[in-house]
Amino acid sequence: MRKYIDLRITAISDEDLKDFLIALRKIQYCGDIGTNRLLPIRIDGDGSGHIDVEIHKSKLNSPKLKNLRDLINLDEEKLKRVNDGDDFDTQYIGE
């Protein structure tokens, strides 16, 4: 049985939403054709897009949307290095 998550993605503009969806579609495409590829994503970080991801938790005993920040904690030490200019570690998907 396939697993799923219902997401709500919000942003200031349609263009920002489209860019986000394009990245997801590229991930899906790699799975469709069964290939392993690097997908670099550049984040300008100026906050203009205000992209936010929430997870609908109705299947988790709560009908409310839960912000992704509250569900997935990132490693604080790695975040400090990113804040100092390092890139994120490679995030493997589908392994």
Side-chain angles (χ1 to χ4, degrees):
M1 178 195 246
R2 293 179 58 109
K3 305 293 183 189
Y4 70 93
I5 299 173
D6 290 327
L7 298 175
R8 176 175 291 169
I9 302 164
T10 57
I12 296 297
S13 73
D14 289 340
E15 183 179 355
D16 290 328
L17 287 173
K18 181 180 176 185
D19 290 341
F20 191 89
L21 292 174
I22 288 170
L24 293 178
R25 179 60 187 109
K26 289 176 180 178
I27 293 168
Q28 185 181 41
Y29 174 78
C30 287
D32 290 346
I33 65 171
T35 190
N36 179 346
R37 293 290 183 268
L38 180 64
L39 175 60
I41 297 175
R42 175 70 60 186
I43 302 156
D44 70 4
D46 68 359
S48 64
H50 295 281
I51 295 173
D52 205 11
V53 179
E54 296 174 312
I55 297 174
H56 194 277
K57 293 185 55 182
S58 62
K59 297 287 183 187
L60 302 174
N61 301 324
S62 172
K64 298 188 306 185
L65 292 172
K66 186 78 171 174
N67 194 292
L68 189 60
R69 290 179 192 91
D70 298 330
L71 295 174
I72 309 268
N73 293 317
L74 298 175
D75 184 306
E76 292 293 327
E77 285 301 314
K78 290 181 181 177
L79 288 179
K80 287 178 188 173
R81 292 196 303 268
V82 168
N83 288 337
D84 290 337
D86 288 355
D87 289 330
F88 283 100
D89 292 339
T90 300
Q91 179 69 44
Y92 291 97
I93 299 172
E95 295 245 328

